[in-house]
Amino acid sequence: MIPLSFLLALLVCAGALIAAGVALATASRATAVLGAGLVSLFASVLFVILAAPDVAMTEAAIGSGLTTFLFFFVMGRIRREGGK
Amino acid sequence: MSTRHILIAGLLGLLGLAFWHLAADYLPDAALNPTAAYYAAHAADQTGAPNLVTGIIITWRGLDTLGEVTVLFLTSAIVALVLAQSKAPAGAAGPGFLPAGELLATGTRMLLPLIALFGAYVIANGHLSPGGGFQGGAVLASGVLLALLAQPRMRIGHALLARVESVSGLGYILVGLAGLAFASGFLDTAFLPLGRFGALLSAGAIPLISVLIGLKVGAEFATILQSLEEGEDAAQEEDAA
Amino acid sequence: MIALALFTGFALILLGLYGALTNRDLIRMIVAFTIADTGVNVVLVAVGYLPGRTAPILDAAVPVAEAAARVIDPVPQALVLTAIVIGLGVTALMLAYAWRLFRARGSLDISDFTELKW
């Protein structure tokens, strides 16, 4: 009998790796940024499983929240300047 | 797949081999190492903080945290400097924002006080439960982010953010010096009474430093966000006019 | 579970480095760097985890007297907390410089920046 937490960890790790793969393979810049944010979100769930709630909070707020918006702000600037 | 990609993949494969050896031979320790065991055993009598991570960040490794907020301050200053020098030529950057939708505008009005309250809760309970200055500061900054998205024209003045940032930074140093004067060393938080273990107002100066770090980090993140947000140039021109 | 987290962390580092080295677009290089950053954090937290123990927060369930025998290592967690916050600062700096390069050249492709190439 496999413990439930291990199954959850397996699911989260697979999700993080798939999201990273999507972020690196996709042709769209926006999808890549969202994929990196998803990696951070999966990592923060993994931190909860690894008994690190402090780190999980920080990663969820900073890694997947603020960082993603920093990327979008800069991409918005670039689009406004006529870049692609 | 060019030769360049194959070369990079090969090099990373070697690095992966090294990682594989690290991971395959890794055996978790049976007991805590001496440093961690010391921290766990002396949480109650030295810091008074039930959350060991907060105790380490603020008291035992307080100097590192002071350095960290300094690095963060430098980052926000450099980002603002780099972006200020690349101001758009007049007329090239029109008002490029779409107005925020009804849902976002109303949701922001409802959520913003709650986000601020949650940030304050996370900061104030940092020594009891998961949280602390950095997390709470990030929550506060995400409130600023939401306000930026809902009303791109509305922004907190740079002067106010700079003042909050520098006053809390100065306060942090002063609290550290108070530790030097009244307790065993710089950034020692035990110069205030430790109080009852697990109470909200306990753990010496840790809640005070948490509040200061939260304000400082929140102001720094808000500065970075506002600097990188696309309406920045237009708003600066309005200020100058 | 530790092996799983270690594997994921190392794989994220390698994926991120591969993306940063092979991409020619500055924004996508920075995205790849943030993925590698997350991977480093996962590895560090996994190293601090001890099986069968609980989070380093003392309360009614984990009294002070048996803390050293019941909690996991809090030091890597404090380290990673710092690393995440600094990571955001590094990302913001990289993005600001990328924007400066774009303003100077009108391009985000590193093939267009050849001054230091030889």
Side-chain angles (χ1 to χ4, degrees), chain B residues 113-126 132 136-137 139-140 211:
Chain B
L114 290 179
I115 290 178
L117 189 68
F118 181 60
Y121 169 82
V122 168
I123 292 174
N125 282 280
V139 172
L140 291 181
V211 170

Side-chain angles (χ1 to χ4, degrees), chain A residues 51-63 65-82, chain B residues 51 53-54 83 88 93-94 96 118 122 129-131 134-135 138 141-142 145 148-149 221 224-225 227-233:
Chain A
D54 281 283
V55 181
M57 274 181 87
T58 319
E59 182 78 43
I62 295 178
L66 296 181
T67 307
T68 309
F69 276 98
L70 285 186
F71 277 109
F72 277 120
F73 283 165
V74 171
M75 278 156 57
R77 274 172 173 253
I78 287 165
R79 202 182 51 229
R80 210 155 56 102
E81 289 285 307
Chain B
N51 185 350
V53 177
T54 305
L83 294 178
F118 181 60
V122 168
S129 55
F134 290 109
Q135 292 91 329
S142 63
L145 172 66
L148 267 182
L149 291 178
F221 283 166
I224 292 178
L225 284 169
S227 303
L228 281 173
E229 206 267 337
E230 61 173 328
E232 176 72 0
D233 300 338

Side-chain angles (χ1 to χ4, degrees), chain C:
Chain C
M1 200 143 70
I2 298 180
L4 194 62
L6 276 179
F7 174 76
T8 308
F10 282 138
L12 285 179
I13 297 175
L14 291 177
L15 279 174
L17 284 180
Y18 181 77
L21 288 171
T22 53
N23 269 314
R24 296 208 157 265
D25 180 66
L26 277 174
I27 298 281
R28 301 177 62 111
M29 287 169 79
I30 302 172
V31 168
F33 265 116
T34 63
I35 292 176
D37 195 22
T38 312
V40 172
N41 295 339
V42 170
V43 169
L44 278 175
V45 170
V47 166
Y49 182 78
L50 306 177
R53 295 187 178 213
T54 175
I57 295 171
L58 312 180
D59 54 11
V62 187
V64 182
E66 23 180 301
R70 295 279 306 277
V71 299
I72 66 171
D73 194 345
V75 182
Q77 296 194 12
L79 193 66
V80 169
L81 210 64
T82 313
I84 292 173
V85 177
I86 295 296
L88 176 74
V90 170
T91 309
L93 262 186
M94 288 197 283
L95 283 170
Y97 284 129
W99 165 246
R100 278 285 275 172
L101 283 173
F102 177 76
R103 284 305 303 274
R105 295 295 176 77
S107 164
L108 279 171
D109 191 339
I110 52 165
S111 311
D112 294 341
F113 305 104
T114 52
E115 283 87 355
L116 291 176
K117 199 170 177 182
W118 48 277

